Amino acid sequence: MTTFELNDAPMAKDRTEGWRFVREGGSVIRAADGTWLFTSPEAVRFAHQHPEIFSSARAFDGLGSPVPLIPLAVDPPDHRKFRRILDPMLAPRVINTMEDLLRDQVRALVRAFADTGRCDVVDDLARLYPTQVFLTLFGMPVEDRDQFIAWVEMIIDHSNNNSTAEPAPEVTEAAIALFGYLQGYVDAKRSSPGDDILSRVLSLEGEEAWSNDEVLGLCFLFTLAGLDTVTAAIGFVMLHLARSPQLQRQLVADPSMMGPVIEEVLRLELPAPLTPRVTTEDVEVDGELIPAGSTVMLCLGTANRQLGNLTRPDGIDVDQADRGHLAFGGGIHRCLGSHLARRELRLVVEEFTALIPEYQIEPGSDPEVVWPSGTLHLRSLPLVFPA
């Protein structure tokens, strides 16, 4: 009888212990609820390499979204149509043209508390910045940030409860308001396009043109999958830096270490450590026969700590930093916004370090993540520093 329960993993205070608990169950685990977990890099990559067997589209049916989540919840061959359009729009060269604006935004957020001697990284920075970036990217006013965050957090907090009950009235109200907001800007940019991703998608013609639902699905995916994950990643990067005065000093002395440090934190602290798939046929993985129609969770959190040639699989070592980790997934569904997320993280660390070179976790605080949760993220991260 299968008794493995993922929610029993001791994840809240120590992800090393949490992922060790999961990994000890084996490379392919059948949980008590019938879900299969792939925990090894080999098993995860096998699923990434066979999207025809491990469906992403069917994995998100249960969300009940009124529009398709583009391009995540689309399987081949239709998936290629969307990635062919979107990948160039989020390429590094495009993000380069926005860097000064994005840097100004994060600098203003850090300046707001730099003279006070204290901040909560989650509330004062990490929750705010990714939404500002999204609004900028899609040509919407940054002044709408707080209302936008309120809608999104209401929806995401509810989805993390994994409840089969009807949504609470306030959740339904938030979803309707968010869709109405997004639809309003889709309509506005059809008649008066700007220099932003939304306008470029709406300008497509002929066979490349997207339906209204597909455009909304892209906006909704960025909203639900691209904001809280970057928020979480900012929190984790700042947590590890706050715990290591030596690492802070090294970054000030050698800014070239910024990239490797961020990659190591991404490898260790994945905001989205589990990605769902549904099998379209019977398949054998590592000696286990998995029936068609099974839900499979690709456990990137364990796979990232078992990659080859790691001298410190559970710790930060800039000499082993490699972009080949699985924090952004893999295969055809590799995270569309990975370049943007990396840029946001680098700008946050650069501007925070420039204005506040020394900081530590507020005495008496014990940061922990929300668990169980669809996205691993810190509840809060209070820091103190010389005002």
Side-chain angles (χ1 to χ4, degrees), residues 4-11 16-27 29 37-39 274 299 301-302 306 371:
F4 180 84
E5 291 279 1
L6 179 63
N7 290 350
D8 290 341
M11 203 73 69
T16 294
E17 289 301 313
W19 294 127
R20 182 176 294 133
F21 170 90
V22 177
R23 190 168 63 237
E24 287 174 350
S27 61
I29 308 169
L37 279 80
F38 290 3
T39 71
L274 297 152
C299 191
T302 53
Q306 299 177 76
W371 180 261

Side-chain angles (χ1 to χ4, degrees), residues 127-143:
R127 285 178 63 246
L128 310 180
Y129 184 51
T131 296
Q132 292 189 189
V133 172
F134 166 79
L135 294 171
T136 300
L137 202 66
F138 278 68
M140 303 172 192
V142 173
E143 293 74 22

